[in-house]
PDB file of all heavy atoms in Angstrom:
ATOM      1  N   LEU A  98     -35.318 -39.087 -13.343  1.00 97.00           N
ATOM      2  CA  LEU A  98     -36.490 -39.964 -13.342  1.00 97.00           C
ATOM      3  C   LEU A  98     -36.103 -41.271 -14.019  1.00 97.00           C
ATOM      4  O   LEU A  98     -35.169 -41.309 -14.817  1.00 97.00           O
ATOM      5  CB  LEU A  98     -37.655 -39.303 -14.079  1.00 97.00           C
ATOM      6  CG  LEU A  98     -38.251 -38.067 -13.412  1.00 97.00           C
ATOM      7  CD1 LEU A  98     -39.441 -37.570 -14.218  1.00 97.00           C
ATOM      8  CD2 LEU A  98     -38.673 -38.346 -11.982  1.00 97.00           C
ATOM      9  N   THR A 103     -43.567 -45.359 -15.916  1.00 95.00           N
ATOM     10  CA  THR A 103     -44.472 -44.221 -16.071  1.00 95.00           C
ATOM     11  C   THR A 103     -44.288 -43.277 -14.890  1.00 95.00           C
ATOM     12  O   THR A 103     -43.622 -43.602 -13.908  1.00 95.00           O
ATOM     13  CB  THR A 103     -45.950 -44.668 -16.076  1.00 95.00           C
ATOM     14  OG1 THR A 103     -46.258 -45.222 -14.796  1.00 95.00           O
ATOM     15  CG2 THR A 103     -46.229 -45.688 -17.166  1.00 95.00           C
ATOM     16  N   VAL A 104     -44.901 -42.111 -15.014  1.00 97.00           N
ATOM     17  CA  VAL A 104     -44.824 -41.118 -13.953  1.00 97.00           C
ATOM     18  C   VAL A 104     -45.290 -41.727 -12.621  1.00 97.00           C
ATOM     19  O   VAL A 104     -44.618 -41.623 -11.594  1.00 97.00           O
ATOM     20  CB  VAL A 104     -45.669 -39.876 -14.336  1.00 97.00           C
ATOM     21  CG1 VAL A 104     -45.959 -39.018 -13.122  1.00 97.00           C
ATOM     22  CG2 VAL A 104     -44.944 -39.080 -15.413  1.00 97.00           C
ATOM     23  N   THR A 105     -46.442 -42.408 -12.666  1.00 97.00           N
ATOM     24  CA  THR A 105     -46.962 -43.005 -11.435  1.00 97.00           C
ATOM     25  C   THR A 105     -46.004 -44.060 -10.889  1.00 97.00           C
ATOM     26  O   THR A 105     -45.706 -44.090  -9.694  1.00 97.00           O
ATOM     27  CB  THR A 105     -48.343 -43.651 -11.692  1.00 97.00           C
ATOM     28  OG1 THR A 105     -49.187 -42.667 -12.284  1.00 97.00           O
ATOM     29  CG2 THR A 105     -48.966 -44.142 -10.399  1.00 97.00           C
ATOM     30  N   ASN A 107     -42.824 -44.245 -11.346  1.00 97.00           N
ATOM     31  CA  ASN A 107     -41.657 -43.566 -10.799  1.00 97.00           C
ATOM     32  C   ASN A 107     -41.876 -43.213  -9.330  1.00 97.00           C
ATOM     33  O   ASN A 107     -40.966 -43.300  -8.516  1.00 97.00           O
ATOM     34  CB  ASN A 107     -41.381 -42.274 -11.579  1.00 97.00           C
ATOM     35  CG  ASN A 107     -40.281 -42.453 -12.609  1.00 97.00           C
ATOM     36  OD1 ASN A 107     -39.105 -42.410 -12.273  1.00 97.00           O
ATOM     37  ND2 ASN A 107     -40.672 -42.668 -13.863  1.00 97.00           N
ATOM     38  N   ILE A 108     -43.112 -42.805  -9.035  1.00 97.00           N
ATOM     39  CA  ILE A 108     -43.410 -42.345  -7.674  1.00 97.00           C
ATOM     40  C   ILE A 108     -43.673 -43.522  -6.738  1.00 97.00           C
ATOM     41  O   ILE A 108     -43.369 -43.464  -5.555  1.00 97.00           O
ATOM     42  CB  ILE A 108     -44.620 -41.378  -7.703  1.00 97.00           C
ATOM     43  CG1 ILE A 108     -44.285 -40.183  -8.595  1.00 97.00           C
ATOM     44  CG2 ILE A 108     -44.981 -40.904  -6.303  1.00 97.00           C
ATOM     45  CD1 ILE A 108     -45.453 -39.255  -8.853  1.00 97.00           C
ATOM     46  N   ALA A 127     -49.499 -41.610  -4.716  1.00 97.00           N
ATOM     47  CA  ALA A 127     -48.861 -41.018  -5.898  1.00 97.00           C
ATOM     48  C   ALA A 127     -49.823 -40.073  -6.618  1.00 97.00           C
ATOM     49  O   ALA A 127     -49.452 -38.952  -6.993  1.00 97.00           O
ATOM     50  CB  ALA A 127     -48.390 -42.115  -6.848  1.00 97.00           C
ATOM     51  N   LEU A 128     -51.064 -40.524  -6.789  1.00 97.00           N
ATOM     52  CA  LEU A 128     -52.025 -39.688  -7.512  1.00 97.00           C
ATOM     53  C   LEU A 128     -52.312 -38.405  -6.731  1.00 97.00           C
ATOM     54  O   LEU A 128     -52.443 -37.319  -7.317  1.00 97.00           O
ATOM     55  CB  LEU A 128     -53.306 -40.472  -7.780  1.00 97.00           C
ATOM     56  CG  LEU A 128     -53.118 -41.660  -8.733  1.00 97.00           C
ATOM     57  CD1 LEU A 128     -54.420 -42.430  -8.921  1.00 97.00           C
ATOM     58  CD2 LEU A 128     -52.563 -41.209 -10.086  1.00 97.00           C
ATOM     59  N   GLY A 129     -52.374 -38.528  -5.402  1.00 96.00           N
ATOM     60  CA  GLY A 129     -52.566 -37.348  -4.566  1.00 96.00           C
ATOM     61  C   GLY A 129     -51.426 -36.361  -4.727  1.00 96.00           C
ATOM     62  O   GLY A 129     -51.635 -35.146  -4.862  1.00 96.00           O
ATOM     63  N   LEU A 130     -50.198 -36.889  -4.758  1.00 97.00           N
ATOM     64  CA  LEU A 130     -49.029 -36.021  -4.889  1.00 97.00           C
ATOM     65  C   LEU A 130     -48.970 -35.379  -6.269  1.00 97.00           C
ATOM     66  O   LEU A 130     -48.583 -34.223  -6.417  1.00 97.00           O
ATOM     67  CB  LEU A 130     -47.749 -36.818  -4.623  1.00 97.00           C
ATOM     68  CG  LEU A 130     -47.534 -37.212  -3.158  1.00 97.00           C
ATOM     69  CD1 LEU A 130     -46.391 -38.203  -3.020  1.00 97.00           C
ATOM     70  CD2 LEU A 130     -47.248 -35.970  -2.321  1.00 97.00           C
ATOM     71  N   LEU A 131     -49.374 -36.139  -7.296  1.00 97.00           N
ATOM     72  CA  LEU A 131     -49.373 -35.583  -8.656  1.00 97.00           C
ATOM     73  C   LEU A 131     -50.359 -34.425  -8.742  1.00 97.00           C
ATOM     74  O   LEU A 131     -50.097 -33.405  -9.398  1.00 97.00           O
ATOM     75  CB  LEU A 131     -49.725 -36.671  -9.676  1.00 97.00           C
ATOM     76  CG  LEU A 131     -48.564 -37.604 -10.030  1.00 97.00           C
ATOM     77  CD1 LEU A 131     -49.037 -38.739 -10.919  1.00 97.00           C
ATOM     78  CD2 LEU A 131     -47.448 -36.821 -10.698  1.00 97.00           C
ATOM     79  N   GLU A 132     -51.488 -34.598  -8.067  1.00 96.00           N
ATOM     80  CA  GLU A 132     -52.473 -33.523  -7.982  1.00 96.00           C
ATOM     81  C   GLU A 132     -51.822 -32.275  -7.395  1.00 96.00           C
ATOM     82  O   GLU A 132     -51.936 -31.174  -7.916  1.00 96.00           O
ATOM     83  CB  GLU A 132     -53.611 -33.999  -7.072  1.00 96.00           C
ATOM     84  CG  GLU A 132     -54.845 -33.134  -7.080  1.00 96.00           C
ATOM     85  CD  GLU A 132     -55.814 -33.571  -8.162  1.00 96.00           C
ATOM     86  OE1 GLU A 132     -56.027 -34.793  -8.342  1.00 96.00           O
ATOM     87  OE2 GLU A 132     -56.336 -32.669  -8.832  1.00 96.00           O
ATOM     88  N   LYS A 133     -51.090 -32.522  -6.333  1.00 95.00           N
ATOM     89  CA  LYS A 133     -50.464 -31.429  -5.589  1.00 95.00           C
ATOM     90  C   LYS A 133     -49.423 -30.682  -6.430  1.00 95.00           C
ATOM     91  O   LYS A 133     -49.312 -29.457  -6.338  1.00 95.00           O
ATOM     92  CB  LYS A 133     -49.795 -32.044  -4.363  1.00 95.00           C
ATOM     93  CG  LYS A 133     -49.214 -31.079  -3.399  1.00 95.00           C
ATOM     94  CD  LYS A 133     -48.925 -31.833  -2.115  1.00 95.00           C
ATOM     95  CE  LYS A 133     -47.916 -31.078  -1.285  1.00 95.00           C
ATOM     96  NZ  LYS A 133     -47.696 -31.755  -0.013  1.00 95.00           N
ATOM     97  N   VAL A 134     -48.650 -31.410  -7.250  1.00 95.00           N
ATOM     98  CA  VAL A 134     -47.645 -30.728  -8.065  1.00 95.00           C
ATOM     99  C   VAL A 134     -48.221 -30.341  -9.430  1.00 95.00           C
ATOM    100  O   VAL A 134     -47.494 -29.920 -10.327  1.00 95.00           O
ATOM    101  CB  VAL A 134     -46.357 -31.579  -8.259  1.00 95.00           C
ATOM    102  CG1 VAL A 134     -45.717 -31.874  -6.903  1.00 95.00           C
ATOM    103  CG2 VAL A 134     -46.647 -32.872  -9.010  1.00 95.00           C
ATOM    104  N   GLY A 135     -49.536 -30.517  -9.570  1.00 95.00           N
ATOM    105  CA  GLY A 135     -50.214 -30.052 -10.780  1.00 95.00           C
ATOM    106  C   GLY A 135     -50.002 -30.913 -12.002  1.00 95.00           C
ATOM    107  O   GLY A 135     -50.023 -30.432 -13.129  1.00 95.00           O
ATOM    108  N   LEU A 136     -49.799 -32.224 -11.798  1.00 96.00           N
ATOM    109  CA  LEU A 136     -49.523 -33.095 -12.947  1.00 96.00           C
ATOM    110  C   LEU A 136     -50.420 -34.336 -12.969  1.00 96.00           C
ATOM    111  O   LEU A 136     -50.031 -35.377 -13.498  1.00 96.00           O
ATOM    112  CB  LEU A 136     -48.052 -33.516 -12.940  1.00 96.00           C
ATOM    113  CG  LEU A 136     -47.056 -32.403 -13.279  1.00 96.00           C
ATOM    114  CD1 LEU A 136     -45.635 -32.872 -13.024  1.00 96.00           C
ATOM    115  CD2 LEU A 136     -47.211 -31.971 -14.733  1.00 96.00           C
ATOM    116  N   ALA A 137     -51.618 -34.199 -12.392  1.00 95.00           N
ATOM    117  CA  ALA A 137     -52.514 -35.361 -12.329  1.00 95.00           C
ATOM    118  C   ALA A 137     -52.766 -35.939 -13.716  1.00 95.00           C
ATOM    119  O   ALA A 137     -52.871 -37.146 -13.891  1.00 95.00           O
ATOM    120  CB  ALA A 137     -53.825 -34.961 -11.667  1.00 95.00           C
ATOM    121  N   MET A 138     -52.816 -35.075 -14.737  1.00 95.00           N
ATOM    122  CA  MET A 138     -53.126 -35.555 -16.088  1.00 95.00           C
ATOM    123  C   MET A 138     -51.962 -36.305 -16.719  1.00 95.00           C
ATOM    124  O   MET A 138     -52.121 -36.926 -17.750  1.00 95.00           O
ATOM    125  CB  MET A 138     -53.575 -34.387 -16.975  1.00 95.00           C
ATOM    126  CG  MET A 138     -52.507 -33.363 -17.314  1.00 95.00           C
ATOM    127  SD  MET A 138     -51.933 -32.422 -15.853  1.00 95.00           S
ATOM    128  CE  MET A 138     -50.793 -31.274 -16.605  1.00 95.00           C
ATOM    129  N   LYS A 139     -50.796 -36.284 -16.087  1.00 95.00           N
ATOM    130  CA  LYS A 139     -49.632 -36.953 -16.666  1.00 95.00           C
ATOM    131  C   LYS A 139     -49.322 -38.276 -15.979  1.00 95.00           C
ATOM    132  O   LYS A 139     -48.247 -38.849 -16.174  1.00 95.00           O
ATOM    133  CB  LYS A 139     -48.397 -36.046 -16.550  1.00 95.00           C
ATOM    134  CG  LYS A 139     -48.492 -34.737 -17.308  1.00 95.00           C
ATOM    135  CD  LYS A 139     -48.422 -34.988 -18.804  1.00 95.00           C
ATOM    136  CE  LYS A 139     -48.399 -33.671 -19.562  1.00 95.00           C
ATOM    137  NZ  LYS A 139     -48.497 -33.881 -21.018  1.00 95.00           N
ATOM    138  N   ALA A 140     -50.255 -38.776 -15.187  1.00 95.00           N
ATOM    139  CA  ALA A 140     -49.989 -39.973 -14.372  1.00 95.00           C
ATOM    140  C   ALA A 140     -49.480 -41.148 -15.201  1.00 95.00           C
ATOM    141  O   ALA A 140     -48.619 -41.896 -14.771  1.00 95.00           O
ATOM    142  CB  ALA A 140     -51.249 -40.375 -13.602  1.00 95.00           C
ATOM    143  N   GLN A 141     -50.030 -41.294 -16.425  1.00 95.00           N
ATOM    144  CA  GLN A 141     -49.654 -42.450 -17.232  1.00 95.00           C
ATOM    145  C   GLN A 141     -48.571 -42.146 -18.262  1.00 95.00           C
ATOM    146  O   GLN A 141     -48.199 -42.997 -19.052  1.00 95.00           O
ATOM    147  CB  GLN A 141     -50.891 -43.013 -17.954  1.00 95.00           C
ATOM    148  CG  GLN A 141     -51.942 -43.590 -17.009  1.00 95.00           C
ATOM    149  CD  GLN A 141     -51.334 -44.535 -15.999  1.00 95.00           C
ATOM    150  OE1 GLN A 141     -50.543 -45.411 -16.350  1.00 95.00           O
ATOM    151  NE2 GLN A 141     -51.672 -44.370 -14.725  1.00 95.00           N
ATOM    152  N   ALA A 142     -48.063 -40.909 -18.261  1.00 95.00           N
ATOM    153  CA  ALA A 142     -47.049 -40.535 -19.247  1.00 95.00           C
ATOM    154  C   ALA A 142     -45.692 -41.110 -18.856  1.00 95.00           C
ATOM    155  O   ALA A 142     -45.485 -41.528 -17.720  1.00 95.00           O
ATOM    156  CB  ALA A 142     -46.967 -39.015 -19.340  1.00 95.00           C
ATOM    157  N   TYR A 143     -44.797 -41.162 -19.823  1.00 95.00           N
ATOM    158  CA  TYR A 143     -43.419 -41.530 -19.531  1.00 95.00           C
ATOM    159  C   TYR A 143     -42.597 -40.253 -19.410  1.00 95.00           C
ATOM    160  O   TYR A 143     -42.941 -39.228 -20.017  1.00 95.00           O
ATOM    161  CB  TYR A 143     -42.861 -42.424 -20.648  1.00 95.00           C
ATOM    162  CG  TYR A 143     -43.314 -43.859 -20.505  1.00 95.00           C
ATOM    163  CD1 TYR A 143     -44.485 -44.296 -21.110  1.00 95.00           C
ATOM    164  CD2 TYR A 143     -42.578 -44.751 -19.734  1.00 95.00           C
ATOM    165  CE1 TYR A 143     -44.913 -45.607 -20.950  1.00 95.00           C
ATOM    166  CE2 TYR A 143     -43.003 -46.054 -19.574  1.00 95.00           C
ATOM    167  CZ  TYR A 143     -44.163 -46.485 -20.184  1.00 95.00           C
ATOM    168  OH  TYR A 143     -44.580 -47.766 -20.013  1.00 95.00           O
ATOM    169  N   PRO A 144     -41.503 -40.311 -18.653  1.00 95.00           N
ATOM    170  CA  PRO A 144     -40.717 -39.092 -18.422  1.00 95.00           C
ATOM    171  C   PRO A 144     -40.338 -38.341 -19.699  1.00 95.00           C
ATOM    172  O   PRO A 144     -40.375 -37.113 -19.728  1.00 95.00           O
ATOM    173  CB  PRO A 144     -39.471 -39.621 -17.706  1.00 95.00           C
ATOM    174  CG  PRO A 144     -39.964 -40.806 -16.951  1.00 95.00           C
ATOM    175  CD  PRO A 144     -41.022 -41.428 -17.839  1.00 95.00           C
ATOM    176  N   GLU A 146     -41.898 -37.806 -22.202  1.00 94.00           N
ATOM    177  CA  GLU A 146     -43.004 -37.037 -22.784  1.00 94.00           C
ATOM    178  C   GLU A 146     -43.247 -35.734 -22.021  1.00 94.00           C
ATOM    179  O   GLU A 146     -44.164 -34.991 -22.361  1.00 94.00           O
ATOM    180  CB  GLU A 146     -44.283 -37.883 -22.768  1.00 94.00           C
ATOM    181  CG  GLU A 146     -44.157 -39.140 -23.614  1.00 94.00           C
ATOM    182  CD  GLU A 146     -45.240 -40.184 -23.331  1.00 94.00           C
ATOM    183  OE1 GLU A 146     -45.700 -40.279 -22.181  1.00 94.00           O
ATOM    184  OE2 GLU A 146     -45.604 -40.895 -24.274  1.00 94.00           O
ATOM    185  N   LEU A 147     -42.467 -35.499 -20.973  1.00 95.00           N
ATOM    186  CA  LEU A 147     -42.676 -34.317 -20.140  1.00 95.00           C
ATOM    187  C   LEU A 147     -41.602 -33.266 -20.387  1.00 95.00           C
ATOM    188  O   LEU A 147     -40.488 -33.587 -20.779  1.00 95.00           O
ATOM    189  CB  LEU A 147     -42.631 -34.708 -18.654  1.00 95.00           C
ATOM    190  CG  LEU A 147     -43.556 -35.820 -18.173  1.00 95.00           C
ATOM    191  CD1 LEU A 147     -43.393 -35.999 -16.668  1.00 95.00           C
ATOM    192  CD2 LEU A 147     -44.997 -35.511 -18.512  1.00 95.00           C
ATOM    193  N   SER A 148     -41.944 -32.005 -20.102  1.00 95.00           N
ATOM    194  CA  SER A 148     -40.937 -30.948 -20.149  1.00 95.00           C
ATOM    195  C   SER A 148     -40.036 -31.080 -18.927  1.00 95.00           C
ATOM    196  O   SER A 148     -40.347 -31.816 -17.988  1.00 95.00           O
ATOM    197  CB  SER A 148     -41.624 -29.582 -20.111  1.00 95.00           C
ATOM    198  OG  SER A 148     -42.143 -29.344 -18.812  1.00 95.00           O
ATOM    199  N   GLY A 149     -38.934 -30.355 -18.953  1.00 95.00           N
ATOM    200  CA  GLY A 149     -38.009 -30.407 -17.821  1.00 95.00           C
ATOM    201  C   GLY A 149     -38.671 -30.015 -16.506  1.00 95.00           C
ATOM    202  O   GLY A 149     -38.490 -30.669 -15.481  1.00 95.00           O
ATOM    203  N   GLY A 150     -39.467 -28.965 -16.553  1.00 95.00           N
ATOM    204  CA  GLY A 150     -40.127 -28.501 -15.334  1.00 95.00           C
ATOM    205  C   GLY A 150     -41.095 -29.545 -14.795  1.00 95.00           C
ATOM    206  O   GLY A 150     -41.185 -29.775 -13.582  1.00 95.00           O
ATOM    207  N   GLN A 151     -41.803 -30.198 -15.732  1.00 96.00           N
ATOM    208  CA  GLN A 151     -42.732 -31.256 -15.313  1.00 96.00           C
ATOM    209  C   GLN A 151     -41.969 -32.439 -14.724  1.00 96.00           C
ATOM    210  O   GLN A 151     -42.370 -33.008 -13.714  1.00 96.00           O
ATOM    211  CB  GLN A 151     -43.579 -31.704 -16.503  1.00 96.00           C
ATOM    212  CG  GLN A 151     -44.575 -30.637 -16.954  1.00 96.00           C
ATOM    213  CD  GLN A 151     -45.282 -31.005 -18.251  1.00 96.00           C
ATOM    214  OE1 GLN A 151     -44.716 -31.714 -19.096  1.00 96.00           O
ATOM    215  NE2 GLN A 151     -46.498 -30.535 -18.421  1.00 96.00           N
ATOM    216  N   GLN A 152     -40.862 -32.786 -15.365  1.00 97.00           N
ATOM    217  CA  GLN A 152     -40.054 -33.897 -14.838  1.00 97.00           C
ATOM    218  C   GLN A 152     -39.568 -33.594 -13.430  1.00 97.00           C
ATOM    219  O   GLN A 152     -39.591 -34.449 -12.558  1.00 97.00           O
ATOM    220  CB  GLN A 152     -38.845 -34.151 -15.749  1.00 97.00           C
ATOM    221  CG  GLN A 152     -39.224 -34.733 -17.079  1.00 97.00           C
ATOM    222  CD  GLN A 152     -37.999 -35.259 -17.825  1.00 97.00           C
ATOM    223  OE1 GLN A 152     -37.159 -35.946 -17.268  1.00 97.00           O
ATOM    224  NE2 GLN A 152     -37.899 -34.926 -19.093  1.00 97.00           N
ATOM    225  N   GLN A 153     -39.142 -32.360 -13.226  1.00 96.00           N
ATOM    226  CA  GLN A 153     -38.629 -32.018 -11.907  1.00 96.00           C
ATOM    227  C   GLN A 153     -39.742 -32.047 -10.858  1.00 96.00           C
ATOM    228  O   GLN A 153     -39.532 -32.441  -9.724  1.00 96.00           O
ATOM    229  CB  GLN A 153     -37.918 -30.645 -11.953  1.00 96.00           C
ATOM    230  CG  GLN A 153     -37.034 -30.359 -10.761  1.00 96.00           C
ATOM    231  CD  GLN A 153     -35.918 -31.395 -10.581  1.00 96.00           C
ATOM    232  OE1 GLN A 153     -36.191 -32.573 -10.325  1.00 96.00           O
ATOM    233  NE2 GLN A 153     -34.682 -30.968 -10.710  1.00 96.00           N
ATOM    234  N   ARG A 154     -40.951 -31.665 -11.266  1.00 97.00           N
ATOM    235  CA  ARG A 154     -42.061 -31.726 -10.312  1.00 97.00           C
ATOM    236  C   ARG A 154     -42.406 -33.176  -9.973  1.00 97.00           C
ATOM    237  O   ARG A 154     -42.741 -33.504  -8.834  1.00 97.00           O
ATOM    238  CB  ARG A 154     -43.288 -30.987 -10.874  1.00 97.00           C
ATOM    239  CG  ARG A 154     -43.122 -29.465 -10.788  1.00 97.00           C
ATOM    240  CD  ARG A 154     -44.367 -28.744 -11.204  1.00 97.00           C
ATOM    241  NE  ARG A 154     -44.498 -28.639 -12.648  1.00 97.00           N
ATOM    242  CZ  ARG A 154     -45.661 -28.500 -13.289  1.00 97.00           C
ATOM    243  NH1 ARG A 154     -46.790 -28.481 -12.609  1.00 97.00           N
ATOM    244  NH2 ARG A 154     -45.691 -28.397 -14.599  1.00 97.00           N
ATOM    245  N   VAL A 155     -42.293 -34.063 -10.982  1.00 97.00           N
ATOM    246  CA  VAL A 155     -42.491 -35.483 -10.696  1.00 97.00           C
ATOM    247  C   VAL A 155     -41.410 -35.970  -9.727  1.00 97.00           C
ATOM    248  O   VAL A 155     -41.679 -36.729  -8.791  1.00 97.00           O
ATOM    249  CB  VAL A 155     -42.460 -36.324 -11.998  1.00 97.00           C
ATOM    250  CG1 VAL A 155     -42.485 -37.817 -11.667  1.00 97.00           C
ATOM    251  CG2 VAL A 155     -43.634 -35.962 -12.890  1.00 97.00           C
ATOM    252  N   ALA A 156     -40.180 -35.500  -9.952  1.00 97.00           N
ATOM    253  CA  ALA A 156     -39.081 -35.921  -9.071  1.00 97.00           C
ATOM    254  C   ALA A 156     -39.345 -35.482  -7.631  1.00 97.00           C
ATOM    255  O   ALA A 156     -39.032 -36.204  -6.678  1.00 97.00           O
ATOM    256  CB  ALA A 156     -37.756 -35.340  -9.576  1.00 97.00           C
ATOM    257  N   ILE A 157     -39.941 -34.313  -7.471  1.00 97.00           N
ATOM    258  CA  ILE A 157     -40.280 -33.841  -6.122  1.00 97.00           C
ATOM    259  C   ILE A 157     -41.382 -34.729  -5.531  1.00 97.00           C
ATOM    260  O   ILE A 157     -41.307 -35.153  -4.376  1.00 97.00           O
ATOM    261  CB  ILE A 157     -40.711 -32.357  -6.143  1.00 97.00           C
ATOM    262  CG1 ILE A 157     -39.521 -31.477  -6.526  1.00 97.00           C
ATOM    263  CG2 ILE A 157     -41.261 -31.932  -4.779  1.00 97.00           C
ATOM    264  CD1 ILE A 157     -39.867 -30.008  -6.764  1.00 97.00           C
ATOM    265  N   ALA A 158     -42.377 -35.049  -6.354  1.00 97.00           N
ATOM    266  CA  ALA A 158     -43.450 -35.943  -5.891  1.00 97.00           C
ATOM    267  C   ALA A 158     -42.873 -37.307  -5.506  1.00 97.00           C
ATOM    268  O   ALA A 158     -43.283 -37.922  -4.519  1.00 97.00           O
ATOM    269  CB  ALA A 158     -44.507 -36.106  -6.982  1.00 97.00           C
ATOM    270  N   ARG A 159     -41.906 -37.781  -6.290  1.00 97.00           N
ATOM    271  CA  ARG A 159     -41.269 -39.067  -5.996  1.00 97.00           C
ATOM    272  C   ARG A 159     -40.584 -39.037  -4.625  1.00 97.00           C
ATOM    273  O   ARG A 159     -40.676 -39.992  -3.843  1.00 97.00           O
ATOM    274  CB  ARG A 159     -40.243 -39.393  -7.088  1.00 97.00           C
ATOM    275  CG  ARG A 159     -39.492 -40.681  -6.873  1.00 97.00           C
ATOM    276  CD  ARG A 159     -38.628 -41.039  -8.061  1.00 97.00           C
ATOM    277  NE  ARG A 159     -37.488 -40.143  -8.198  1.00 97.00           N
ATOM    278  CZ  ARG A 159     -36.549 -40.271  -9.136  1.00 97.00           C
ATOM    279  NH1 ARG A 159     -36.642 -41.236 -10.041  1.00 97.00           N
ATOM    280  NH2 ARG A 159     -35.549 -39.430  -9.202  1.00 97.00           N
ATOM    281  N   LEU A 181     -39.300 -22.325 -17.206  1.00 93.00           N
ATOM    282  CA  LEU A 181     -39.848 -23.469 -16.466  1.00 93.00           C
ATOM    283  C   LEU A 181     -39.442 -23.452 -14.987  1.00 93.00           C
ATOM    284  O   LEU A 181     -39.900 -24.275 -14.201  1.00 93.00           O
ATOM    285  CB  LEU A 181     -39.365 -24.775 -17.105  1.00 93.00           C
ATOM    286  CG  LEU A 181     -39.719 -24.954 -18.583  1.00 93.00           C
ATOM    287  CD1 LEU A 181     -39.131 -26.254 -19.116  1.00 93.00           C
ATOM    288  CD2 LEU A 181     -41.225 -24.935 -18.786  1.00 93.00           C
ATOM    289  N   GLU A 184     -42.443 -22.778 -12.147  1.00 95.00           N
ATOM    290  CA  GLU A 184     -43.378 -23.833 -11.740  1.00 95.00           C
ATOM    291  C   GLU A 184     -42.763 -24.757 -10.690  1.00 95.00           C
ATOM    292  O   GLU A 184     -43.470 -25.254  -9.809  1.00 95.00           O
ATOM    293  CB  GLU A 184     -43.838 -24.639 -12.965  1.00 95.00           C
ATOM    294  CG  GLU A 184     -42.724 -25.334 -13.723  1.00 95.00           C
ATOM    295  CD  GLU A 184     -43.199 -25.942 -15.049  1.00 95.00           C
ATOM    296  OE1 GLU A 184     -43.413 -25.196 -16.030  1.00 95.00           O
ATOM    297  OE2 GLU A 184     -43.358 -27.164 -15.081  1.00 95.00           O
ATOM    298  N   VAL A 185     -41.438 -24.973 -10.785  1.00 95.00           N
ATOM    299  CA  VAL A 185     -40.768 -25.836  -9.803  1.00 95.00           C
ATOM    300  C   VAL A 185     -40.622 -25.089  -8.474  1.00 95.00           C
ATOM    301  O   VAL A 185     -40.884 -25.652  -7.408  1.00 95.00           O
ATOM    302  CB  VAL A 185     -39.394 -26.294 -10.335  1.00 95.00           C
ATOM    303  CG1 VAL A 185     -38.628 -27.042  -9.257  1.00 95.00           C
ATOM    304  CG2 VAL A 185     -39.571 -27.172 -11.567  1.00 95.00           C
ATOM    305  N   VAL A 188     -43.828 -25.106  -6.427  1.00 96.00           N
ATOM    306  CA  VAL A 188     -44.054 -26.349  -5.687  1.00 96.00           C
ATOM    307  C   VAL A 188     -43.199 -26.362  -4.415  1.00 96.00           C
ATOM    308  O   VAL A 188     -43.655 -26.744  -3.334  1.00 96.00           O
ATOM    309  CB  VAL A 188     -43.732 -27.571  -6.574  1.00 96.00           C
ATOM    310  CG1 VAL A 188     -43.703 -28.855  -5.747  1.00 96.00           C
ATOM    311  CG2 VAL A 188     -44.742 -27.689  -7.706  1.00 96.00           C
TER     312      VAL A 188
END
Side-chain angles (χ1 to χ4, degrees):
Chain A
L98 293 183
T103 64
V104 163
T105 306
N107 261 279
I108 301 172
L128 294 178
L130 288 170
L131 281 174
E132 191 89 43
K133 186 166 160 176
V134 300
L136 289 171
M138 68 294 183
K139 297 289 185 187
Q141 295 311 313
Y143 280 90
E146 298 164 328
L147 306 183
S148 72
Q151 291 172 330
Q152 290 193 46
Q153 196 59 296
R154 284 186 279 155
V155 173
I157 293 172
R159 178 173 70 178
L181 302 177
E184 60 189 76
V185 173
V188 169

